[in-house]
Amino acid sequence: MNVMEMLLVAFAIGLTGALAPGPTLVATVNSSLKNGWTSGPKVSIGHAFVEMLIFVLILMGLSGAADAYRVPISLIGGTALMVFGALTLRGASNASISSQGSEISSNPYIAGALTSAANPYFWIWWLSVGSAMLLDGLRGGFLLAAAFMIGHWGADFGWYTLVSTSVDRGKSILSERGYRYVLSACGIFLMIFGLYYLSGVAGSLGW
């Protein structure tokens, strides 16, 4: 991929994760009710802080093993994309953007960091899909790896800001039905991209 392709792919994959119901989305909704539309960007900053630490750890711990373990990591990443896509598609039928839960922290920065670090899905994603994509980016240079992170964060900031602005204005950006359709489309995209990703690995091995 070139830089622009990596940005677009990272944005699309990041958006599928951001859209999925989870503790970070709940934290955004809860904080927005108290602190207004700026809660979305603030929660995203806390979320991005945890991901920046992971990014640095992957660069330090896995970049040297990129060539030796490229194939198994890529296979795990491609398979995980398909699994996450199937789970997203299955959960889309009863997903709700308006669900609220207990408030973890009144500080949106801390809430963004804590809800990310405490979410098992978050770690599974980064240990499979995220690390595989980052290592693929590193094979093309640090710029591609950075482009992956920028595209990924663009999706997070865009979606959570949209949610917080919607809540602050007392309106819904998407109807429940529309939200479920978008989630279904995201699940299908993940599954298709997972197949495409795995086909690229198979092609590099001459299968």
Side-chain angles (χ1 to χ4, degrees):
M1 297 183 190
N2 57 39
V3 172
M4 184 56 64
E5 289 172 340
M6 180 63 86
L7 281 171
L8 292 175
V9 168
F11 181 86
I13 292 177
L15 189 60
T16 62
L19 279 166
T24 305
L25 179 60
V26 172
T28 301
V29 172
N30 285 340
S31 183
S32 300
L33 291 171
K34 292 185 176 182
N35 304 312
W37 75 269
T38 59
S39 295
K42 290 175 181 177
V43 168
S44 298
I45 289 174
H47 176 77
F49 175 76
V50 178
E51 292 186 322
M52 174 58 76
L53 295 179
I54 294 175
F55 176 61
V56 172
L57 288 174
I58 289 177
L59 290 183
M60 293 176 59
L62 293 179
S63 59
D67 289 333
Y69 298 101
R70 178 180 63 84
V71 172
I73 291 175
S74 295
L75 289 174
I76 292 172
T79 303
L81 279 168
M82 296 182 63
V83 171
F84 290 143
L87 291 175
T88 300
L89 189 59
R90 187 180 70 175
S93 60
N94 58 1
S96 174
I97 194 174
S98 59
S99 299
Q100 297 183 42
S102 59
E103 188 171 344
I104 294 180
S105 173
S106 60
N107 185 310
Y109 297 106
I110 295 176
L114 289 180
T115 54
S116 301
N119 187 357
Y121 174 93
F122 174 84
W123 293 104
I124 293 171
W125 191 93
W126 272 106
L127 289 172
S128 54
V129 179
S131 60
M133 294 294 294
L134 270 181
L135 289 179
D136 272 356
L138 283 173
R139 290 173 60 213
F142 178 80
L143 187 60
L144 275 184
F148 173 77
M149 296 303 300
I150 292 171
H152 181 83
W153 286 331
D156 291 334
F157 275 83
W159 172 246
Y160 291 131
T161 300
L162 193 65
V163 169
S164 61
T165 301
S166 172
V167 172
D168 184 41
R169 294 182 177 180
K171 299 177 182 178
S172 179
I173 295 295
L174 289 174
S175 66
E176 290 296 313
R177 177 178 295 181
Y179 178 56
R180 291 166 182 170
Y181 283 150
V182 172
L183 271 182
S184 296
C186 287
I188 293 171
F189 168 80
L190 281 180
M191 294 174 70
I192 292 174
F193 187 78
L195 281 172
Y196 170 77
Y197 193 81
L198 287 174
S199 68
V201 176
S204 68
L205 295 174
W207 294 354

